[in-house]
């Protein structure tokens, strides 16, 4: 029996061995190619090679934005993170401490016994932690920023790494779930053994491994100056985890110019990542630390500017030749803006000549004013200049961002040319008139009497007077104003009404068109809707959208561009451009050959225009157009016109002045405690200037009348090449007086740069 | 089969005979092959700076050989007299490590979540290894002449004797080592003559109780972030059983679950499943002939590659042929051990031989099944191959004992024991 039992035991052992042998055959013989492949995958290290973002050029090929090589200060994540209880962080600090002790070679340490060495190590770990704290101050100094900003950067890095970790954990977990879902369910006994719980994987399993970003360096200060590089590089051992890495940063050679239009880069946000069409493309997909265009052309042309990364893979431990795919740089994007022209125009806003009667008749003072100017090339619809002042320097944008954002008084980040909605005022009158003529509710010869008071359908209204009444203290009419060229009869036709900017005429036109008709026509000229230029813009407002209390009065005032109508400087410029082109509306463009640009990653608030076509012929009444052109020329050239200030331009120009009512300026300021309080500054008057807000001026001495000054037009008058619009906020004077000189200089600049032939 | 000891006048011959080199070369060859493969693999498992535990293991091997020689020098029956002493000593040492869990005692420190070791300066000792050997000796001694284990109640004392070391080792906690005791106990009882149906009944009882052990308790860990108790969803939470203590821990369940998961790519598997998965990849990518000695690009990354998972490294270096050789070496060892047991009439000797074979076999098969993902990870080393002074030493001592039994076959004139039918 004993022998039998021995034999049984032997058989049991034999059976076990055969099972094992079978398993070995299965794994090592039958499935060996499968495992070899897995082994290859496990051993291959992939590294991506960064690429260069495409440059942004202006219309003449000058570089507006490009990547430049620089040295960044990067710090290992284990020093950046504030969660020092993590095992990985502690292990890293301990390792550093030991390294430092060893390199120092202190004989006391080297000869100490185990507990003694432990004491040394503990003390050194404390020193390392202290050095890390000191490093932040050193980095702040090197980068020319405050320590708080460094701490903010740390927080951002931690947040991004956590996001990436979650993303990786999620995707691995999801991959494992998919795998589990697509597998056949295991046999009933396997399920029973596993406790009846689904054998699906759980997230915890994937959370324990450190991802690459948790063990690598992250940029804390970009683009160190050479002095800072030297300073940090000399004392590298004092800064645990600090690495000076070569890298690229985006340089904007023109600094402030066209800042709003060019846009800037920020770390890519979650929403664009979610809708990225390249999400499955390893070389183009966004990584959480990548920079992407956030505004302006950088965002509009993001897909074109963004290059493809290269990839390098090598078999670790084998050092086989690395397979390499070269990175391909981003494509350059050419804008329609002429940056030199833009710079000149922008500079004009820093020294606007404001009439100052207090200093004497015909005297003016020079002051920086807020405002905007747009220049459109008529033949192509390209925007040659789009100035919004005040602006900011793109090179220091990220460092100064919080300051810029909190500057609620000046709002430098606000793109006034596209986002600021003003009453267009009298600049809209040619549009109203042309609409009325083409709609057939009036003819060019219809005469309307204006004696200053609004008379509509033979009823005298108590509001809506012509501006003639507001000169001096007794009523005037067109029959005696201006004194050098009064109107013979006071019955004005279309030409006269434009020349003299008569309110009553156009209020009547508005009445004849009606709210709906007027709104429809204004919309055709580009008001009340986004132009589709590609950047974030506001649509303005049409009379039919007005919800105020004024009723039919709102329609009349819409005829003179007030109360119920709002427009941005771009819309006014484009409407004038439509008039200049004799009724062809064209979508304004900022990018040359931009037809295949699709803003998939929308810059803030970008919504495409409702108009489908890029070019629309409004089929305006040709005779009316002639009259309108003549009228606008006479605004400048005739004695009765309101735009004399444009006479000194080196080119003949047809223009329309405008004076829009402005609301009182108020804003919320944040004080040192972080609390907000409302600030209502006093507008400067002729007798009481406000040096704190030199750009905020009242048009009267009491400080109650506030106006924005418009000047829009096209040049040369007989064969127009460009259209323009200038807006000066809170000018303290009328359109002709305040915006006119700026427009004149603007035209001279256009001549200088060759966009308008010189005539005088 | 009775050996006649030829007392030769030449002392040289006596020494040679004592060393048993001539009579049991299969065992010696098997042990040599295993130890060599072990040293090679451990040497190949280099850390980042190129060093490995290889030199240390080589020293341990030599010490082990010395221990093996020592254990077969003296007649095993003389050693057998100290069985209880060895066993008690091992129990005390194990108890010392358990004490180290509760209060802080010199030499005992937590390592990888368990209190397995006693450190004497630079050298460490695992009392569990000693306890295994002591248990075999003590049980063999207990069972050699008794006859009352033919009844069910007579089986109680051996089980009680097994319970003490198993409970202590489970407390360390070291599930793998504790598991080895069960098959060893059953093998010894079986060979000693316990009735099969009794043993089957006990096994059946164990299987019936197992589900209760699996499904009892509930897991309510404290969430790190919120500081509150949350209910773990992968652990059971059954109305009556949840109030019992949790016998199978959370991490052990994870190991069981991960074993049932697909062999997906090593890149995706992380955490619990990674170790086994990488071991499989290492084994599989070795293919038929392996990548060559010293070449373990995947095995290097397997956690405990020099230790529990060393079989994966052998498989990677030497391929299927290498793993088959390892398996054959062990089978040779076991068969030679059984042969030794069958060749001697002395009951203690027989039981010791079988006990040692059972101990080796259960540990070997347990380790190999974990390494090939046939069982969830348990954490036992591969005897004679894995890195570890205590394990190697205990294994060599056991082999020495085995050789001892094979070499000293006393002449017995009485009835063969163990023959009841």
């Amino acid at each position: 029996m004993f022998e039998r039992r021995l034999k049984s035991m032997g058989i049991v052992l034999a059976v076990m061995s055969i099972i094992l042998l079978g398993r070995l055959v299965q794994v090592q013989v039958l499935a060996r190619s499968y495992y070899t492949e897995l082994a290859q995958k496990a051993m291959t290290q992939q590294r991506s090679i960064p690429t260069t973002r495409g440059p942004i050029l202006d219309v003449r090929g000058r570089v507006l934005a490009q990547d430049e090589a620089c040295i960044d200060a990067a710090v290992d994540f284990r020093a950046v993170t504030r969660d020092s209880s993590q095992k990985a962080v502690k292990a890293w600090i301990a390792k550093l401490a030991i390294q430092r002790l060893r390199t120092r070679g202190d004989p006391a340490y080297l000869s100490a016994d185990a507990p003694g060495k432990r004491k040394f190590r503990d003390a050194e770990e404390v020193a390392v932690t202290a050095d890390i704290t000191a490093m932040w101050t050193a980095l702040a100094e090197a980068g020319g920023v405050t320590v708080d900003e460094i701490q903010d950067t740390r927080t951002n890095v931690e947040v991004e790494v956590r996001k990436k970790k979650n993303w990786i954990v999620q995707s691995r977990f999801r991959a494992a779930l998919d795998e589990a879902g697509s597998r056949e369910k295991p046999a009933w006994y396997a399920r029973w053994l596993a406790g009846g719980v689904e054998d699906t994987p759980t997230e915890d399993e994937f959370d324990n491994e450190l991802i690459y970003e948790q063990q690598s360096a992250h940029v804390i200060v970009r683009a160190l100056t050479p002095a800072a590089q030297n300073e940090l590089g000399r004392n590298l051992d004092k800064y645990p985890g600090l690495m000076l890495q070569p890298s690229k940063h985006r340089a904007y050679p023109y600094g402030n110019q066209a800042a709003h239009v060019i846009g800037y880069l920020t770390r890519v946000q979650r929403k664009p990542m979610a809708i990225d069409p390249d999400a499955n493309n390893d070389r183009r997909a966004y990584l959480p630390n990548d920079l992407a265009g956030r505004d302006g052309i950088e965002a509009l042309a993001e897909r074109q500017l963004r290059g493809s990364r290269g990839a390098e893979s090598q078999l670790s431990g084998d050092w086989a030749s690395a397979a390499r795919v070269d990175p391909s740089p981003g494509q350059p994007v050419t804008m329609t803006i002429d940056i030199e022209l833009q710079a000149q125009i922008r500079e004009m806003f820093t020294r606007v000549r404001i009439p100052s009667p207090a200093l004497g008749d015909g005297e003016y003072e020079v002051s920086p004013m807020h405002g905007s100017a747009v220049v459109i090339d008529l033949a192509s619809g390209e925007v040659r200049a789009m100035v919004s002042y005040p602006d900011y320097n793109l090179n220091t944008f990220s460092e100064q961002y919080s300051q810029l954002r909190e500057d609620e008084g000046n709002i430098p980040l606000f793109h006034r040319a596209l986002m600021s909605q003003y009453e267009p005022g009298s600049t809209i009158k040619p549009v109203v008139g042309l609409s009325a003529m083409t709609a057939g509710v009036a003819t060019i010869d219809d005469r309307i009497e204006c004696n200053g008071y609004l008379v509509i359908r033979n009823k005298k209204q108590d509001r809506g007077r012509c501006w003639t009444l507001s000169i001096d203290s007794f009523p005037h009419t067109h029959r005696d104003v201006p004194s050098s060229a009064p109107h013979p009869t006071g019955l004005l036709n279309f030409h006269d009404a434009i020349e003299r900017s008569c309110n009553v005429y156009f209020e009547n036109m508005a009445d004849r068109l009606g709210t709906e008709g007027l709104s429809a026509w204004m919309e055709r000229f580009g008001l009340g809707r986004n132009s589709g230029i590609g950047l974030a813009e506001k649509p303005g407002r049409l009379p039919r959208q007005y919800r105020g209390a004024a009723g039919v009065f709102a329609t009349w005032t819409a005829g003179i561009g007030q109360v119920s109508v709002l427009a941005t400087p771009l819309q006014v410029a484009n409407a004038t451009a439509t008039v200049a082109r004799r009724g062809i509306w064209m979508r304004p463009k900022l990018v040359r050959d931009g037809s295949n640009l699709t803003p998939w990653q929308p810059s803030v608030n970008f919504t495409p225009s409702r108009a489908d076509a890029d070019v629309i012929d409004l089929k305006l009444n040709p005779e009316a157009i002639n009259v309108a052109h003549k009228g606008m020329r006479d605004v400048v050239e005739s004695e009765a016109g309101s735009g004399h200030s444009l006479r000194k331009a080196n080119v003949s120009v047809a223009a329309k002045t405008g004076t829009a009512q402005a609301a009182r300026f108020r804003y919320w300021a944040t004080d040192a405690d972080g609390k907000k309080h409302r600030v209502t500054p006093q507008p400067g008057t002729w007798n009481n200037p406000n040096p704190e807000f030199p750009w905020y001026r009242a048009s009267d001495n009491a400080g109650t009348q506030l106006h924005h000054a418009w000047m829009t037009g096209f040049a040369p008058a007989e064969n127009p090449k460009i259209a323009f619009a200038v807006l000066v906020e809170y000018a303290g004077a009328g359109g002709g007086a305040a915006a006119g000189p700026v427009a004149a200089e603007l035209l001279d600049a256009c001549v200088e740069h060759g966009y308008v032939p010189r005539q005088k | 089969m009775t050996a006649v000891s030829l007392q030769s006048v030449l002392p040289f011959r006596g020494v040679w005979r004592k060393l048993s080199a001539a009579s049991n070369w299969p065992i010696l060859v098997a042990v040599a092959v295993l130890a060599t493969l072990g040293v090679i693999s451990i040497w190949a498992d280099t850390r980042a700076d190129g060093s490995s535990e290889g030199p240390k293991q080589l020293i341990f091997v030599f010490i082990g050989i010395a221990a093996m020689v020592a254990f077969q020098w003296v007649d095993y029956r003389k050693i057998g007299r100290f069985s209880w002493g060895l066993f008690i000593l091992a129990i005390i040492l194990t108890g010392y490590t358990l004490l180290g869990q509760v209060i802080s005692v010199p030499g005992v420190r937590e390592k990888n979540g368990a209190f397995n070791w006693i450190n004497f300066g630079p050298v460490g000792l695992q009392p569990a290894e000693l306890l295994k050997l002591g248990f075999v000796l003590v049980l063999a001694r207990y069972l050699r002449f008794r006859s009352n284990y033919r009844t069910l109640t007579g089986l109680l004392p051996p089980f009680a004797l097994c319970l003490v070391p198993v409970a202590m080792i489970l407390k360390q906690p070291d599930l793998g080592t504790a598991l080895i005791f069960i098959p060893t106990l059953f093998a010894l009882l079986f060979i000693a003559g316990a009735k099969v149906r009794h043993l089957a009944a006990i096994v059946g009882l164990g299987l019936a109780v197992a589900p209760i052990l699996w499904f009892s308790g509930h897991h309510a860990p404290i969430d790190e972030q919120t500081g509150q108790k949350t209910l773990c969803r992968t652990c059971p939470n059954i109305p009556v059983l949840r109030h019992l203590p949790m016998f199978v821990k959370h991490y052990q369940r994870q190991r069981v679950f991960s074993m049932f998961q697909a062999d997906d790519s090593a890149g995706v598997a992380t955490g619990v499943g990674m170790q086994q998965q990488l071991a499989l990849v290492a084994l599989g990518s070795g293919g038929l002939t392996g990548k060559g000695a010293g070449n373990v690009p995947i095995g290097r990354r397997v956690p405990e590659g020099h230790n529990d998972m060393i079989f994966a490294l052998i498989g990677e270096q030497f391929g299927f042929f290498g793993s088959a050789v390892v398996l054959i070496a062990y089978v040779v060892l076991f068969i030679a051990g059984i042969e030794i047991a069958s060749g001697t009439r002395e009951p203690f000797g027989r039981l010791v031989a079988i006990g040692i074979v059972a101990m080796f076999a259960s540990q070997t098969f347990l380790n190999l099944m974990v390494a090939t993902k046939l069982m969830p990870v348990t954490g036992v080393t591969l005897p004679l191959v894995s890195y570890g002074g205590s394990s190697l030493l205990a294994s060599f001592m056991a082999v020495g004992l085995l050789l001892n039994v094979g070499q000293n076959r006393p002449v017995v004139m009485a009835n063969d024991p163990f023959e009841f039918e």
Side-chain angles (χ1 to χ4, degrees), chain A residues 57-62 64 254 257-258 335-345 375 383-387 590 749-750 752-755:
Chain A
L57 310 171
D58 88 335
V59 72
R60 295 264 163 93
R62 304 176 191 111
L64 302 181
Y254 284 90
Q257 310 308 334
M335 289 175 61
T336 60
I337 303 268
D338 182 323
I339 200 68
E340 303 270 331
L341 176 65
Q342 170 104 3
Q344 266 186 281
I345 299 177
V375 178
V383 176
R384 285 283 166 258
M386 196 185 308
V387 174
L590 276 176
C750 289
E752 195 185 310
H753 289 275
Y755 295 110

Short mmCIF file of all heavy atoms in Angstrom, two decimals, chain A residues 57-62 64 254 257-258 335-345 375 383-387 590 749-750 752-755:
data_model
loop_
_atom_site.label_atom_id
_atom_site.label_comp_id
_atom_site.label_asym_id
_atom_site.label_seq_id
_atom_site.Cartn_x
_atom_site.Cartn_y
_atom_site.Cartn_z
N LEU A 57 2.60 86.75 -41.28
CA LEU A 57 3.22 87.84 -42.05
C LEU A 57 2.18 88.89 -42.34
O LEU A 57 0.98 88.59 -42.41
CB LEU A 57 3.76 87.29 -43.37
CG LEU A 57 4.64 86.05 -43.27
CD1 LEU A 57 4.92 85.50 -44.64
CD2 LEU A 57 5.93 86.39 -42.56
N ASP A 58 2.64 90.11 -42.56
CA ASP A 58 1.69 91.13 -43.00
C ASP A 58 1.64 91.12 -44.52
O ASP A 58 2.31 90.32 -45.18
CB ASP A 58 2.03 92.49 -42.39
CG ASP A 58 3.02 93.27 -43.24
OD1 ASP A 58 3.78 92.64 -43.99
OD2 ASP A 58 3.04 94.50 -43.13
N VAL A 59 0.86 92.04 -45.08
CA VAL A 59 0.59 91.96 -46.52
C VAL A 59 1.86 92.17 -47.34
O VAL A 59 1.97 91.70 -48.47
CB VAL A 59 -0.51 92.97 -46.88
CG1 VAL A 59 0.03 94.39 -46.81
CG2 VAL A 59 -1.12 92.67 -48.22
N ARG A 60 2.83 92.86 -46.76
CA ARG A 60 4.07 93.09 -47.48
C ARG A 60 5.15 92.08 -47.09
O ARG A 60 6.31 92.27 -47.41
CB ARG A 60 4.59 94.51 -47.19
CG ARG A 60 3.69 95.58 -47.71
CD ARG A 60 4.14 96.08 -49.08
NE ARG A 60 3.08 96.82 -49.75
CZ ARG A 60 2.93 98.13 -49.69
NH1 ARG A 60 3.77 98.85 -48.98
NH2 ARG A 60 1.95 98.71 -50.35
N GLY A 61 4.77 91.04 -46.34
CA GLY A 61 5.72 89.99 -46.01
C GLY A 61 6.54 90.25 -44.77
O GLY A 61 7.46 89.48 -44.46
N ARG A 62 6.22 91.29 -44.02
CA ARG A 62 6.97 91.53 -42.79
C ARG A 62 6.48 90.52 -41.75
O ARG A 62 5.31 90.20 -41.68
CB ARG A 62 6.72 92.94 -42.28
CG ARG A 62 7.04 94.00 -43.30
CD ARG A 62 6.67 95.38 -42.74
NE ARG A 62 6.74 96.39 -43.80
CZ ARG A 62 5.68 97.01 -44.32
NH1 ARG A 62 4.48 96.72 -43.88
NH2 ARG A 62 5.81 97.90 -45.26
N LEU A 64 5.21 89.24 -38.43
CA LEU A 64 4.49 89.78 -37.28
C LEU A 64 4.57 88.85 -36.07
O LEU A 64 4.45 89.30 -34.93
CB LEU A 64 3.01 89.98 -37.64
CG LEU A 64 2.74 90.90 -38.82
CD1 LEU A 64 1.24 91.01 -39.05
CD2 LEU A 64 3.32 92.27 -38.56
N TYR A 254 6.69 93.34 -33.69
CA TYR A 254 6.06 94.64 -33.70
C TYR A 254 5.33 94.97 -32.40
O TYR A 254 4.58 95.93 -32.34
CB TYR A 254 5.10 94.78 -34.90
CG TYR A 254 5.86 95.01 -36.18
CD1 TYR A 254 6.27 93.94 -36.97
CD2 TYR A 254 6.21 96.29 -36.57
CE1 TYR A 254 6.98 94.15 -38.12
CE2 TYR A 254 6.92 96.52 -37.73
CZ TYR A 254 7.31 95.44 -38.50
OH TYR A 254 8.02 95.65 -39.66
N GLN A 257 1.66 96.56 -32.07
CA GLN A 257 0.87 96.81 -33.27
C GLN A 257 -0.05 95.64 -33.57
O GLN A 257 0.37 94.50 -33.55
CB GLN A 257 1.78 97.09 -34.46
CG GLN A 257 2.85 98.13 -34.21
CD GLN A 257 2.29 99.42 -33.63
OE1 GLN A 257 1.14 99.76 -33.84
NE2 GLN A 257 3.13 100.12 -32.90
N ALA A 258 -1.29 95.98 -33.90
CA ALA A 258 -2.30 94.98 -34.28
C ALA A 258 -2.40 93.86 -33.25
O ALA A 258 -2.67 92.71 -33.59
CB ALA A 258 -2.00 94.40 -35.66
N MET A 335 -1.38 88.01 -43.54
CA MET A 335 -2.52 88.86 -43.23
C MET A 335 -2.66 89.95 -44.28
O MET A 335 -1.73 90.23 -45.03
CB MET A 335 -2.32 89.49 -41.86
CG MET A 335 -2.44 88.50 -40.73
SD MET A 335 -2.06 89.24 -39.15
CE MET A 335 -3.29 90.49 -39.08
N THR A 336 -3.81 90.57 -44.25
CA THR A 336 -4.03 91.66 -45.19
C THR A 336 -3.59 92.99 -44.60
O THR A 336 -3.57 94.01 -45.28
CB THR A 336 -5.52 91.76 -45.53
OG1 THR A 336 -6.23 91.98 -44.31
CG2 THR A 336 -6.01 90.47 -46.14
N ILE A 337 -3.29 93.01 -43.35
CA ILE A 337 -2.89 94.24 -42.66
C ILE A 337 -1.50 94.65 -43.13
O ILE A 337 -0.63 93.81 -43.32
CB ILE A 337 -2.84 94.00 -41.15
CG1 ILE A 337 -4.18 93.50 -40.64
CG2 ILE A 337 -2.38 95.23 -40.40
CD1 ILE A 337 -5.10 94.56 -40.18
N ASP A 338 -1.30 95.97 -43.29
CA ASP A 338 0.03 96.51 -43.50
C ASP A 338 0.48 97.06 -42.16
O ASP A 338 -0.08 98.02 -41.65
CB ASP A 338 -0.02 97.61 -44.56
CG ASP A 338 1.36 98.18 -44.86
OD1 ASP A 338 2.18 98.30 -43.92
OD2 ASP A 338 1.63 98.48 -46.03
N ILE A 339 1.50 96.42 -41.60
CA ILE A 339 1.82 96.72 -40.21
C ILE A 339 2.41 98.11 -40.04
O ILE A 339 2.22 98.76 -39.00
CB ILE A 339 2.75 95.64 -39.62
CG1 ILE A 339 2.67 95.66 -38.09
CG2 ILE A 339 4.17 95.83 -40.08
CD1 ILE A 339 1.36 95.23 -37.53
N GLU A 340 3.09 98.60 -41.05
CA GLU A 340 3.68 99.93 -40.91
C GLU A 340 2.56 100.97 -40.93
O GLU A 340 2.57 101.94 -40.17
CB GLU A 340 4.66 100.19 -42.05
CG GLU A 340 5.77 99.17 -42.16
CD GLU A 340 6.98 99.55 -41.34
OE1 GLU A 340 7.21 100.76 -41.15
OE2 GLU A 340 7.67 98.65 -40.85
N LEU A 341 1.60 100.76 -41.81
CA LEU A 341 0.44 101.66 -41.85
C LEU A 341 -0.30 101.61 -40.52
O LEU A 341 -0.65 102.63 -39.93
CB LEU A 341 -0.49 101.24 -42.98
CG LEU A 341 -1.80 102.02 -43.10
CD1 LEU A 341 -1.54 103.46 -43.44
CD2 LEU A 341 -2.71 101.39 -44.16
N GLN A 342 -0.46 100.39 -40.05
CA GLN A 342 -1.16 100.21 -38.77
C GLN A 342 -0.43 100.95 -37.67
O GLN A 342 -1.03 101.63 -36.84
CB GLN A 342 -1.21 98.70 -38.45
CG GLN A 342 -1.67 98.35 -37.07
CD GLN A 342 -3.09 97.84 -37.06
OE1 GLN A 342 -3.73 97.69 -38.09
NE2 GLN A 342 -3.59 97.57 -35.88
N ALA A 343 0.90 100.84 -37.66
CA ALA A 343 1.66 101.48 -36.59
C ALA A 343 1.50 102.99 -36.64
O ALA A 343 1.36 103.65 -35.61
CB ALA A 343 3.14 101.09 -36.71
N GLN A 344 1.53 103.51 -37.87
CA GLN A 344 1.39 104.96 -37.98
C GLN A 344 0.04 105.43 -37.48
O GLN A 344 -0.07 106.42 -36.77
CB GLN A 344 1.56 105.38 -39.45
CG GLN A 344 2.98 105.79 -39.78
CD GLN A 344 3.06 106.32 -41.18
OE1 GLN A 344 3.08 105.56 -42.14
NE2 GLN A 344 3.10 107.62 -41.32
N ILE A 345 -0.99 104.71 -37.86
CA ILE A 345 -2.33 105.13 -37.45
C ILE A 345 -2.47 105.00 -35.94
O ILE A 345 -3.05 105.85 -35.26
CB ILE A 345 -3.41 104.29 -38.16
CG1 ILE A 345 -3.31 104.48 -39.67
CG2 ILE A 345 -4.78 104.66 -37.66
CD1 ILE A 345 -4.28 103.63 -40.44
N VAL A 375 -9.28 100.59 -42.04
CA VAL A 375 -9.04 100.94 -43.44
C VAL A 375 -9.28 99.68 -44.27
O VAL A 375 -8.70 98.64 -44.02
CB VAL A 375 -7.59 101.42 -43.66
CG1 VAL A 375 -7.36 101.73 -45.14
CG2 VAL A 375 -7.31 102.65 -42.81
N VAL A 383 -8.69 94.14 -45.27
CA VAL A 383 -8.55 95.17 -44.24
C VAL A 383 -7.08 95.53 -44.17
O VAL A 383 -6.24 94.68 -43.85
CB VAL A 383 -9.05 94.66 -42.88
CG1 VAL A 383 -8.80 95.70 -41.81
CG2 VAL A 383 -10.51 94.31 -42.95
N ARG A 384 -6.76 96.79 -44.48
CA ARG A 384 -5.36 97.19 -44.48
C ARG A 384 -4.89 97.60 -43.10
O ARG A 384 -3.70 97.56 -42.81
CB ARG A 384 -5.12 98.36 -45.42
CG ARG A 384 -5.13 98.01 -46.86
CD ARG A 384 -3.85 97.33 -47.31
NE ARG A 384 -4.10 96.75 -48.61
CZ ARG A 384 -4.32 95.45 -48.80
NH1 ARG A 384 -4.29 94.63 -47.78
NH2 ARG A 384 -4.57 94.99 -49.99
N ALA A 385 -5.80 98.09 -42.29
CA ALA A 385 -5.41 98.47 -40.93
C ALA A 385 -6.64 98.36 -40.06
O ALA A 385 -7.74 98.68 -40.49
CB ALA A 385 -4.86 99.90 -40.90
N MET A 386 -6.43 97.85 -38.85
CA MET A 386 -7.53 97.80 -37.88
C MET A 386 -6.94 98.15 -36.53
O MET A 386 -6.38 97.30 -35.86
CB MET A 386 -8.19 96.42 -37.87
CG MET A 386 -9.53 96.49 -37.19
SD MET A 386 -10.38 94.94 -36.96
CE MET A 386 -10.41 94.22 -38.51
N VAL A 387 -7.07 99.42 -36.18
CA VAL A 387 -6.42 99.90 -34.97
C VAL A 387 -7.44 99.96 -33.86
O VAL A 387 -8.56 100.40 -34.06
CB VAL A 387 -5.81 101.31 -35.21
CG1 VAL A 387 -5.25 101.87 -33.91
CG2 VAL A 387 -4.73 101.23 -36.27
N LEU A 590 -9.23 89.37 -43.35
CA LEU A 590 -8.00 89.66 -42.63
C LEU A 590 -6.85 88.78 -43.11
O LEU A 590 -5.69 89.04 -42.80
CB LEU A 590 -8.19 89.43 -41.12
CG LEU A 590 -8.79 90.59 -40.36
CD1 LEU A 590 -9.00 90.18 -38.92
CD2 LEU A 590 -7.90 91.80 -40.44
N ALA A 749 -1.09 108.82 -44.51
CA ALA A 749 -0.32 107.58 -44.32
C ALA A 749 -0.64 106.59 -45.43
O ALA A 749 0.25 105.90 -45.94
CB ALA A 749 -0.64 106.98 -42.95
N CYS A 750 -1.91 106.51 -45.81
CA CYS A 750 -2.28 105.59 -46.90
C CYS A 750 -1.58 105.97 -48.19
O CYS A 750 -1.14 105.11 -48.96
CB CYS A 750 -3.80 105.59 -47.12
SG CYS A 750 -4.69 104.80 -45.80
N GLU A 752 1.24 107.57 -48.34
CA GLU A 752 2.66 107.28 -48.15
C GLU A 752 2.97 105.82 -48.42
O GLU A 752 4.00 105.48 -48.98
CB GLU A 752 3.01 107.62 -46.70
CG GLU A 752 4.48 107.73 -46.42
CD GLU A 752 4.69 107.94 -44.92
OE1 GLU A 752 4.01 108.84 -44.37
OE2 GLU A 752 5.47 107.18 -44.33
N HIS A 753 2.06 104.92 -48.03
CA HIS A 753 2.32 103.50 -48.20
C HIS A 753 1.80 102.97 -49.52
O HIS A 753 1.84 101.77 -49.78
CB HIS A 753 1.70 102.71 -47.04
CG HIS A 753 2.44 102.92 -45.75
ND1 HIS A 753 3.54 102.21 -45.40
CD2 HIS A 753 2.22 103.81 -44.75
CE1 HIS A 753 3.98 102.62 -44.22
NE2 HIS A 753 3.19 103.60 -43.82
N GLY A 754 1.31 103.88 -50.34
CA GLY A 754 0.99 103.46 -51.69
C GLY A 754 -0.38 102.89 -51.90
O GLY A 754 -0.64 102.29 -52.94
N TYR A 755 -1.26 103.04 -50.96
CA TYR A 755 -2.59 102.46 -51.15
C TYR A 755 -3.54 103.42 -51.83
O TYR A 755 -4.62 103.05 -52.27
CB TYR A 755 -3.16 102.00 -49.81
CG TYR A 755 -2.32 100.87 -49.24
CD1 TYR A 755 -1.52 101.07 -48.12
CD2 TYR A 755 -2.29 99.64 -49.87
CE1 TYR A 755 -0.73 100.05 -47.64
CE2 TYR A 755 -1.49 98.62 -49.40
CZ TYR A 755 -0.72 98.83 -48.29
OH TYR A 755 0.07 97.82 -47.83
#
